[in-house]
Amino acid sequence: MPWYVYILRCGDGTLYTGVTSDIPRRLAAHRAGKGAKYTRGRGPLELVYQEKLPGKSAALRREYRIKRLTRQEKEHLIQEAWK
């Protein structure tokens, strides 16, 4: 089953990175205030990046690597995905 790593742009301009097996369900949870504590009260939330991976462990490893990137590197990753 595929898993995804994703990045949300919060209403305050910050970026949140997470993993899920179902992006629409997870995004709805975030928007309903039932997702990560970090995203609560930071809406509106915009999905700006997603990457499909072969499994949960691969997604968690990729999430870890993305979270270690600088803000500038994350913005570059997002821009490259939209090309």
Side-chain angles (χ1 to χ4, degrees):
M1 171 172 42
W3 276 69
Y4 302 85
V5 63
Y6 63 93
I7 300 175
L8 300 177
R9 187 177 311 277
C10 300
D12 63 1
T14 60
L15 298 173
Y16 172 82
T17 304
V19 297
T20 187
S21 61
D22 184 345
I23 289 198
R25 179 188 55 79
R26 185 67 173 148
L27 186 55
H30 281 298
R31 289 182 172 154
K34 298 180 192 245
K37 190 180 277 188
Y38 182 84
T39 60
R40 292 180 198 156
R42 292 182 189 261
L45 304 172
E46 177 187 7
L47 179 66
V48 293
Y49 179 81
Q50 65 181 5
E51 184 177 335
K52 185 177 179 179
L53 294 144
K56 185 176 182 179
S57 63
L60 290 170
R61 285 191 304 270
R62 181 66 173 140
E63 176 194 30
Y64 176 77
R65 288 192 305 270
I66 290 173
K67 285 185 172 186
R68 294 190 49 106
L69 297 176
T70 65
R71 168 76 184 223
Q72 184 177 12
E73 290 168 331
K74 289 176 189 175
E75 292 289 357
H76 180 72
L77 181 67
I78 293 164
Q79 290 301 317
E80 287 300 310
W82 285 99
K83 286 185 179 181

